[in-house]
């Protein structure tokens, strides 16, 4: 039988312990800290020593008759304070010869500390309570460990069988019974799993949710970092997980281990030999999921010449794939065409090495502009590649150039074939936007302005830097007075801890902002 989180007994809280049948026989009464009864109970400890606090590690429910505290109010108060310092879950006092009623000193001290204090009005064998609670806690720990090992075994088997990433995520979501999201360091979603409606709810406002829950674990959000050799490259998040946090962390850690292993072994995975379309081939080349050399059989099957060729990676913005294919045939240029995303189409030319690749690419772009008009089509290109293994890098570079041009208002000033050198700093940032170091740099530099409530200040900063720090122009574009702009700029500098009048600091913030904006595309 497969263990899932739904089959696990909930973690015990102080409130739940007090509802156990054996405990009810002692007629428990909460006399202090009633608002803190949902604290989890990690263990139950019977202790009469006045300095029991030094023997605790946190989360214990302490049972006592108070026999060593009777008649000494200072000891009684210090006893409660020591339990509070040790982060005990609660204290249970059995009434009897030492204390016929709840001592006011202990009750008041417990209320001040927010420590739940319970008295038992009927004689009650503490051994029965410890046996009941300890057995439940041990069962819970065993179930959590069993779940952890079951998940590790199943994920390892999937990896060994060559399962894709999505299959692993689906398995994690099945065990956790909640949506699972994998992101990079900039919170961009790389993969999801779980019931579709629940996943859609999580992703609907992902940017705000991720920043709100990214730094803490709460409300069922459990995360684990992905990376190796001292470098992080992403994280896996269990969203709205209903079990206890300790079990969730075990599950997230097992999932993270599997994803890191899967990523490490991806380079050696066997490539499918099924004949696939040009679109899937170019999509795989751009993504880099499968090594380029393993895609050679599919390239040949698609009719692309690959031996002793020069490859020209192009990405066309707002270009119709059917039109591009017709143009290639008309010009006699061997190549593949595939629609990517966001209005971009990849074109991979394969030319004999004795032909001028640059001139042919320019001729292709000029004919395309003649048909569509210069205002409607942008042809971005990377430098020609002679090695097939370098084609994926070239396609990604052309895609970055096309994206950078899409962000620029100076399209008409660009040449027919736009290359990385034509888009300057914006192009470089686009090229590096998925680098974890760049993501970390952008997050660190702009941390003070990335909350949802700070978007107005971030917009002012963007305009101010884009206008070359022209205050008059910035105030005009934002329809505010100069004094109002000065106040906003001052707030920005305080939030970021920088001096925007200092060229180097302003340049650093500008680069971080370009990287941040590129990551949002």
């Amino acid at each position: 039988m497969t263990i899932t989180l739904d089959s696990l007994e909930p973690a015990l809280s102080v409130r739940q312990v007090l509802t156990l049948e054996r405990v009810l026989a002692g007629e428990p009464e909460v006399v202090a800290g009633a608002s803190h009864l949902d604290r989890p109970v990690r263990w139950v400890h019977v202790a009469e020593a006045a300095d029991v606090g030094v023997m605790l590690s946190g989360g214990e429910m302490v049972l006592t008759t108070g026999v060593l505290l009777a008649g000494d109010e200072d000891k009684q108060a210090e006893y409660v304070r020591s339990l509070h310092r040790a982060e005990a879950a609660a204290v249970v006092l059995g009434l009897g010869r030492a204390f016929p009623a709840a001592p006011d000193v202990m009750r008041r001290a417990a209320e001040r500390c927010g420590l739940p204090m319970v008295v038992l009005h009927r004689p009650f064998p503490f051994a029965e309570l410890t046996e009941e609670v300890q057995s439940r806690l041990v069962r819970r720990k065993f179930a959590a460990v069993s779940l952890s090992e079951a998940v590790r075994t199943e994920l390892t088997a999937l990896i060994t069988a060559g399962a894709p990433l999505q299959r692993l995520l689906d398995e994690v979501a099945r065990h956790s019974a909640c949506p699972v999201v994998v992101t990079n360091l900039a919170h961009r979603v790389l993969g999801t799993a779980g019931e579709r409606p629940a996943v859609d709810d999580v992703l609907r406002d992902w940017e705000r949710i991720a920043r709100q829950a990214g730094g803490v674990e709460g409300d069922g959000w459990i995360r684990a970092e992905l990376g190796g050799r001292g470098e992080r490259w992403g994280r896996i998040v269990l969203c709205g997980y209903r079990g206890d946090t300790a079990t969730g962390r075990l599950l997230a850690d097992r999932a993270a281990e599997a994803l890191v292993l899967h990523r490490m072994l991806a380079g050696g995975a066997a490539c499918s030999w099924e004949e696939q379309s040009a679109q899937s081939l170019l999509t795989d080349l751009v993504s880099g999921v499968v090594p380029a050399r393993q895609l050679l059989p599919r390239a040949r099957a698609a009719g692309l010449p690959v031996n002793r060729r020069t490859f020209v990676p192009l990405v066309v913005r707002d270009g119709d794939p059917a039109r591009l294919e017709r143009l290639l045939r008309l010009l006699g240029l061997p190549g593949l065409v595939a629609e990517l995303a966001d209005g971009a189409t990849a074109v991979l030319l394969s030319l004999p090495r004795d032909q001028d690749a640059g001139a042919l690419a320019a001729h292709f772009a000029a004919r395309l502009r003649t048909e569509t008009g210069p205002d409607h089509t942008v042809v971005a290109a990377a430098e020609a590649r002679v090695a097939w293994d370098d084609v994926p890098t070239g396609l990604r570079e052309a895609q970055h150039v096309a994206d950078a041009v899409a962000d620029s208002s100076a399209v008409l000033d660009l040449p027919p074939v736009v290359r990385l050198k034509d888009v300057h700093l914006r192009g470089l940032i686009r090229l590096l936007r998925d680098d974890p170091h760049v993501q970390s740099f952008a997050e660190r530099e702009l941390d003070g302005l990335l909350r949802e409530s700070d978007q107005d200040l971030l917009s002012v900063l963007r305009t101010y830097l884009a206008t070359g720090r022209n205050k008059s122009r910035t105030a005009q574009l934002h329809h505010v007075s100069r004094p109002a702009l000065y106040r906003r700029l001052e707030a920005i500098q305080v939030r970021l801890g920088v001096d925007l009048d200092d060229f180097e600091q302003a340049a650093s913030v500008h680069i971080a902002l370009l990287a941040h904006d590129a990551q949002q595309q």
Side-chain angles (χ1 to χ4, degrees):
M1 182 184 71
T2 300
I3 301 174
T4 66
L5 292 179
D6 289 335
S7 67
L8 294 179
E9 178 179 297
L12 288 177
S13 65
V14 175
R15 188 188 308 278
Q16 291 169 323
V17 171
L18 297 181
T19 63
L20 297 178
E21 185 175 348
R22 291 187 180 183
V23 179
L24 290 175
E27 296 183 8
E29 179 189 359
V30 179
V31 297
S35 61
H36 300 278
L37 295 181
D38 291 323
R39 287 181 174 179
V41 176
R42 189 182 60 83
W43 208 242
V44 176
H45 193 67
V46 180
E48 299 291 350
D51 59 346
V52 64
V54 300
M55 295 181 282
L56 305 180
S57 58
E60 297 91 346
M61 175 178 278
V62 178
L63 312 180
T64 182
T65 62
V67 65
L68 300 181
L69 303 175
D72 190 331
E73 293 186 348
D74 290 337
K75 280 187 177 180
Q76 294 169 24
E78 178 56 25
Y79 181 84
V80 172
R81 289 193 293 267
S82 69
L83 293 179
H84 171 64
R85 289 193 296 270
E87 299 182 345
V91 58
V92 178
L93 175 65
L95 300 182
R97 283 177 296 178
F99 292 103
D104 287 339
V105 172
M106 293 183 68
R107 182 181 56 77
R108 289 195 299 268
E111 193 64 46
R112 284 194 298 269
C113 294
L115 176 71
M117 180 176 175
V118 182
V119 297
L120 300 175
H121 288 279
R122 293 178 61 86
F124 182 86
F126 285 165
E128 291 185 13
L129 174 57
T130 57
E131 179 185 2
E132 175 76 12
V133 176
Q134 311 297 46
S135 64
R136 287 175 179 264
L137 292 175
V138 168
R139 288 199 302 270
R140 178 66 190 183
K141 290 178 181 293
F142 178 77
V145 172
S146 298
L147 171 65
S148 173
E149 290 307 309
V151 171
R152 172 182 280 158
T153 300
E154 292 177 21
L155 294 182
T156 301
L158 288 174
I159 293 172
T160 303
L165 172 64
Q166 188 61 50
R167 182 69 183 86
L168 270 65
L169 295 182
D170 290 342
E171 192 69 15
V172 175
R174 184 173 68 84
H175 279 289
S176 64
C178 70
V180 176
V181 176
V182 176
T183 76
N184 64 12
L185 297 182
H187 307 298
R188 290 180 61 196
V189 176
L190 306 177
T192 64
E195 295 183 1
R196 195 70 254 167
V199 172
D200 290 343
D201 286 342
V202 170
L203 297 183
R204 189 166 290 115
D205 196 15
W206 172 253
E207 182 67 14
R208 180 187 62 80
I209 294 175
R211 292 195 181 281
Q212 177 179 318
V216 296
E217 289 186 351
D219 298 327
W221 288 73
I222 307 291
R223 69 175 188 171
E225 303 297 329
L226 304 176
R229 300 180 179 177
E231 182 178 71
R232 294 184 301 116
W233 48 266
R235 58 179 61 92
I236 182 171
V237 187
L238 309 185
C239 309
Y241 163 78
R242 296 189 300 270
D244 68 284
T245 301
T247 303
R249 285 179 183 148
L250 278 175
L251 179 58
D253 287 343
R254 297 296 84 77
E257 291 172 2
L259 294 185
V260 171
L261 179 60
H262 184 273
R263 176 167 166 144
M264 290 174 57
L265 298 179
C271 176
S272 171
W273 289 87
E274 294 182 14
E275 185 175 349
Q276 298 185 27
S277 68
Q279 182 170 12
S280 66
L281 172 62
L282 289 185
T283 300
D284 286 347
L285 281 169
V286 171
S287 68
V289 172
V290 182
R293 184 149 298 278
Q294 296 184 18
L295 298 175
L296 271 174
R298 286 168 54 186
R300 291 192 180 96
L304 185 73
V306 294
N307 295 328
R308 297 187 58 79
R309 307 292 287 189
T310 297
F311 303 102
V312 183
L314 305 173
V315 171
V316 180
R317 273 285 173 192
D318 300 322
D320 175 48
R323 181 194 295 273
L324 297 176
E325 289 177 346
R326 287 195 300 270
L327 183 57
L328 288 182
R329 289 195 296 269
L330 178 64
L331 299 177
L333 298 175
L336 296 178
V337 176
E339 188 172 8
L340 301 178
D342 301 324
T345 302
V347 179
L348 180 62
L349 301 181
S350 176
L351 307 174
R353 291 188 178 177
D354 59 355
Q355 293 186 344
D356 189 334
L360 289 175
H363 182 51
F364 170 81
R367 286 294 299 267
L368 183 60
R369 282 198 171 192
T370 299
E371 292 186 13
T372 62
D375 296 335
H376 296 90
T377 303
V378 171
V379 178
E383 294 300 322
R385 264 62 176 175
V386 295
W388 174 257
D389 288 346
D390 295 333
V391 170
T393 302
L395 284 168
R396 288 193 289 271
E397 180 181 320
Q399 190 172 29
H400 289 313
V401 173
D403 290 342
V405 173
D407 290 345
S408 173
S409 61
V411 175
L412 294 178
D413 298 329
L414 295 171
V417 178
V418 187
R419 303 183 187 278
L420 192 59
K421 64 182 178 61
D422 299 314
V423 290
H424 307 294
L425 179 60
R426 189 180 299 274
L428 175 63
I429 295 300
R430 275 283 183 171
L431 186 62
L432 299 177
R433 68 175 180 175
D434 292 328
D435 187 295
H437 297 295
V438 175
Q439 294 171 359
S440 296
F441 171 78
E443 292 279 312
R444 183 174 62 252
E445 289 289 299
L446 300 176
D447 182 62
L449 290 179
L450 293 180
R451 292 186 298 271
E452 187 174 14
S453 58
D454 296 325
Q455 293 308 299
D456 181 61
L457 290 179
L458 195 65
S459 178
V460 170
L461 175 63
R462 185 180 291 108
T463 303
Y464 180 64
L465 295 174
T467 59
R469 296 183 291 173
N470 187 318
K471 294 183 175 67
S472 297
R473 181 60 176 157
T474 302
Q476 179 184 10
L477 291 173
H478 283 270
H479 307 289
V480 297
S481 65
R482 289 283 290 263
L485 175 66
Y486 293 157
R487 288 192 295 270
R488 296 186 187 186
L489 291 176
E490 181 62 27
I492 290 170
Q493 293 181 106
V494 170
R495 295 282 187 89
L496 299 183
V498 299
D499 179 5
L500 292 177
D501 289 330
D502 181 90
F503 176 81
E504 184 173 338
Q505 294 183 53
S508 181
V509 172
H510 194 187
I511 291 172
L513 187 57
L514 288 175
H516 169 76
D517 290 345
Q519 290 158 12
Q520 309 313 307
Q521 300 299 318

